[in-house]
Amino acid sequence: MAQLTFKELKKVYEGDVVAVQDFNLKVDDQEFIVLVGPSGCGKSTTLRMVAGLEDITQGDLYIDDVRVNDVAPKDRDIAMVFQSYALYPHMTVYDNMAFSLKLRKKPKDEIDERVQNAADILGLKAYLDRKPKALSGGQKQRVALGRAIVRDANVFLMDEPLSNLDAKLRVQMRAEIIKLHKRIKTTTVYVTHDQIEAMTMADRIVIMNDGFIQQVGVPKEIYDYPNNVFVGGFIGTPAMNFVYGKYTKGGFFESDNVKVKVPDAKAKLLKDKGYEDKRIILGIRPEDIHDENIVLETYKDSHVKLKVEVSELLGAETNVYAKIGDKEIVARVDARDDIKMGDELELAFDMNKVHFFDIDSEERIKNN
Amino acid sequence: MQKLHVHMQQASEHTMVKALLIDLYPSMEFVEKTKTYTHFTIDKADIIELPLESLYDLLVTDFEMRFTLVFHTIGANKLIGTAFKAHLNKLPSGTFSFEETLFHLYKLNPKSLEGIKHNLDALITQSDRTTLLAFGNANMKATNAAKRLFIHRNTMQYRLDHIQEVTGIDVKTFKGLFIIHALQTL
Ligand SMILES: Nc1ncnc2c1ncn2[C@@H]1O[C@H](COP(=O)(O)OP(=O)(O)O)[C@@H](O)[C@H]1O
Ligand SMILES: [Mg+2]
């Protein structure tokens, strides 16, 4: 079991590509932490520095209390699962899993016990004699996981292990990996670009963009209190709506075709922070835009008029893609099939749920 | 069958690495092996199932040591001569194409490539130089370069491929084109 500590970690690739910088994080023992962010934001680089697959340009990396920057991969005791789920094509499933243990000169019966045990956990018992070519994508992915499990390592690193699987299998494997973690409790850093994977699997999420950490927190905290416009827009589908406008002295947020009353607490915050008569960004999640009469009556001061472009009935709910003036906006309302393209709707913003962001820094405006 | 040359440098002696490679690649032939350096050839088709980048990931995580893998086509042999393994020491742990390798070495110290420059000068002709210049000036668009030289597009493609055959440098990659120009002006 182990704790990971990143202090000011930085990676500069050849050609002066800064892939990761200012990376500070503590991963607790037994924690399942998910690094999430768009492609190219530095997730794999971070993981590969931990595994010793890439040199660390600057900063310190600790496993427990040991600085491991210059410690050979051998002495880090880390097991990694790759996106490509690389397996040795010429070896059977059994041998693929046993290989690293053989190299470590473990006794035969211990190897067998560990491989059988991992195969049991992963449902691979029936496939131990097969070669990778004769396996499905999901089975190969399981073998890749098995190769890591048998190691009984201090830390697990997983780099987008599910991204090559189809949607249904992905959901199933998500659950299996979480079950596995509950069982063996190894400290895990899991990388994905899929925010749903992050939200459903993580103890804590680390959101990255452009090589920087944007926010670290438990999924609900990240969803409810995004640090900035990037996080607000990245987590959640459909994405958070952003409206650019002005906070006026009268306590309203105003933009073309939008005038909504800001609740007292938020109004005080904006005033205290000097945003009166300044341009700001309003962020609101699709599910916080309502069409129920009761809400419309409660929030009389926060109605908006929309022109519907597309309405998607998803079963339990409907996503309404619409325009306010020339601004695109998405609202998620209860299931209804009576909304058509071109319809004019009057909906209400739940102003207690909106966030305001600084227009320059794009940081959420909040009490310190 | 096209052959791929692979130069591998590992952190310490490991006969198991070599044994693994022999099992892994049926077409493998050793060109040279020392305690920490191996130069071998395989059929290109051999890496379809396990690309070298994935091999690197497996090797590092299983053997738990540093590896540097450089791969190139047969043409590069004339360019690099025999002293290539000395260059591998300067690369970090990782997998590098020939173009990436030369680019990397050039950035570290252009002078270290003087021997390679010398070989290159003997390998390419005046007409190759004209082709390369036109291709570069046309921003790597073969069709535009062909127009400027009043030749057919396929002829242009053929000439670019020919340069790769002779030098091992794929000049259709940014790093390849950069380095072949840089070497000429060294
Ligand atoms: N070997 C490399 N050489 C140069 N740049 C690289 C290398 N690997 C990754 N990068 C660059 O570093 C940045 C981060 O890449 P990566 O960590 O792979 O992102 P992610 O895994 O989040 O998609 C990108 O800009 C990428 O192009
Ligand atoms: Mg990646």
Side-chain angles (χ1 to χ4, degrees), chain A residues 13-14 17 19 37-46 54 159-160 191:
Chain A
Y13 281 112
E14 165 241 342
V17 178
S39 173
C41 73
K43 307 178 297 289
S44 295
T45 301
T46 306
E54 294 285 353
D159 192 358
E160 311 224 16
V191 159

Side-chain angles (χ1 to χ4, degrees), chain B residues 144-159:
Chain B
N144 295 358
K147 271 187 201 143
R148 289 187 200 194
L149 294 180
F150 303 103
I151 57 175
H152 194 267
R153 188 165 51 94
N154 293 347
T155 310
M156 188 70 202
Q157 289 290 355
Y158 168 80
R159 289 186 184 174

